[in-house]
Amino acid sequence: MSKGKVLVDREGNKFLIKDASKDYHTKFGFFGKEDMKKAGKIKSSTGKAFSIFDASFIDLYRRIKRNAQIIPLKDVGLIIAETGINKSSKIVDAGAGSGGLSCFLAAIAKEVTTYDIREDFIEIVEFNKKSLELKNLKIKKKDIYEGIDEKNIDVITLDVPEPWKALDSAAKALKAGGFLVSYSPTIPQIMDFVEAVRIRDDFSCIKTSEIIERIWEIEARKVRPKSQPIGHSGFLTFVRKI
Ligand code: SAH
């Protein structure tokens, strides 16, 4: 990933420069376009020291365009770890939303196809796909409840209001042993999803989990959880095709 530069100072002030061909202005002064070609330590026009380096995938990812709420990184982490997504994985995802999950997965998997029914969301994902240079991400305007065209899929991720309606499509598309992951914010959704899985004979290994991330503040001997509410995002249910 060569696009973009990151400026960071010792206090953790951080700027993502998307267009490194121009001067860049901050509240700490500006950096000239010739500074963008440097690596390591540079100084702003007011003399404040910063480090400059090439933006990595995560620097660009944190700044993607978003319309719907994107799935938080803590939950992306569990999806990858539980299903073992890797460079040979073929994945189907729905709904695309802003492409938060599908873009992250495309950066590590072989191929990701994401479905959405809304044109406005598809345009946002197209934009994010381009800015992250993800050539292995396919975007489809299609209702996931109506069927999945791809076959022999390793992992299907669902972030849709009625995930149980996608079980028939998912069962046909997944390879044996493949994972279906459903992300839902409310308990009735996971109750209905798990119940619908249980009455079938083609899924097993049901596991539902919620990840709670607590950030800590560490300042000399003042070491404690940051004073912030522990927000709820969603529950993740994992099942395997048998
Ligand atoms: N996981 C996404 C956010 C998804 S938001 C991210 O990380 O960015 C939920 C999306 O599901 C919405 O964009 C909505 O249009 C889409 N959606 C709802 N029902 C759907 C269906 N039946 N098939 C495909 N997409 C659907």
Side-chain angles (χ1 to χ4, degrees):
M1 196 87 32
S2 60
K3 272 172 67 186
K5 292 274 178 183
V6 176
L7 281 171
V8 182
D9 71 4
R10 294 270 291 139
E11 289 77 44
N13 295 300
K14 190 163 131 234
F15 302 96
L16 174 69
I17 306 165
K18 285 196 170 158
D19 182 358
S21 66
K22 295 190 204 136
D23 293 351
Y24 189 77
H25 292 260
T26 74
K27 61 181 175 187
F28 304 106
F30 77 91
F31 298 86
K33 57 177 183 276
E34 63 283 359
D35 286 328
M36 307 297 161
K37 298 187 190 93
K38 296 179 187 158
K41 297 242 184 312
I42 59 174
K43 279 191 174 157
S44 71
S45 57
T46 61
K48 179 126 179 58
F50 274 83
S51 278
I52 188 162
F53 50 84
D54 291 337
S56 65
F57 172 78
I58 197 68
D59 296 312
L60 299 172
Y61 179 82
R62 284 184 191 278
R63 297 286 293 271
I64 61 173
K65 208 170 178 175
R66 41 190 93 188
N67 193 349
Q69 183 91 4
I70 73 166
I71 184 165
L73 285 173
K74 69 180 177 71
D75 296 323
V76 176
L78 188 69
I79 293 172
I80 296 166
E82 280 284 341
T83 61
I85 288 170
N86 61 73
K87 57 184 182 301
S88 63
S89 305
K90 279 167 69 182
I91 300 170
V92 168
D93 165 75
S98 309
L101 182 57
S102 56
C103 287
F104 202 108
L105 297 181
I108 58 170
K110 183 166 187 223
E111 192 182 291
V112 179
T113 307
T114 186
Y115 288 56
D116 209 293
I117 44 177
R118 280 178 52 177
E119 194 57 46
D120 51 341
F121 281 110
I122 287 177
E123 280 168 21
I124 293 174
V125 187
E126 294 280 6
F127 179 89
N128 288 331
K129 170 188 169 171
K130 219 172 140 200
S131 65
L132 294 169
E133 299 176 345
L134 297 166
K135 297 200 169 63
N136 58 342
L137 175 63
K138 292 192 191 128
I139 305 158
K140 276 192 183 170
K141 184 161 187 242
K142 187 171 170 183
D143 182 338
I144 193 96
Y145 305 152
E146 312 260 282
I148 294 173
D149 310 317
E150 293 70 26
K151 296 275 169 286
N152 215 22
I153 293 301
D154 297 289
V155 180
I156 296 178
T157 53
L158 297 175
D159 181 356
V160 288
E162 298 172 300
W164 50 91
K165 289 191 177 166
L167 284 173
D168 284 338
S169 324
K172 288 189 194 116
L174 279 172
K175 68 180 193 191
F179 287 87
L180 173 61
V181 186
S182 180
Y183 178 76
S184 295
T186 73
I187 289 169
Q189 286 169 308
I190 53 170
M191 286 167 66
D192 290 354
F193 181 72
V194 169
E195 194 47 39
V197 168
R198 278 219 175 103
I199 57 172
R200 301 176 67 109
D201 61 5
D202 49 3
F203 287 106
S204 184
C205 310
I206 306 172
K207 177 176 175 182
T208 296
S209 201
E210 180 190 13
I211 293 281
I212 295 171
E213 182 187 27
R214 197 150 71 141
I215 297 172
W216 283 61
E217 201 169 67
I218 310 206
E219 246 186 84
R221 296 182 60 79
K222 199 180 87 188
V223 176
R224 59 182 184 192
K226 232 177 167 174
S227 313
Q228 58 172 26
I230 298 177
H232 169 72
S233 56
F235 303 99
L236 282 165
T237 298
F238 298 86
V239 300
R240 288 191 91 166
K241 169 78 196 313
I242 51 170

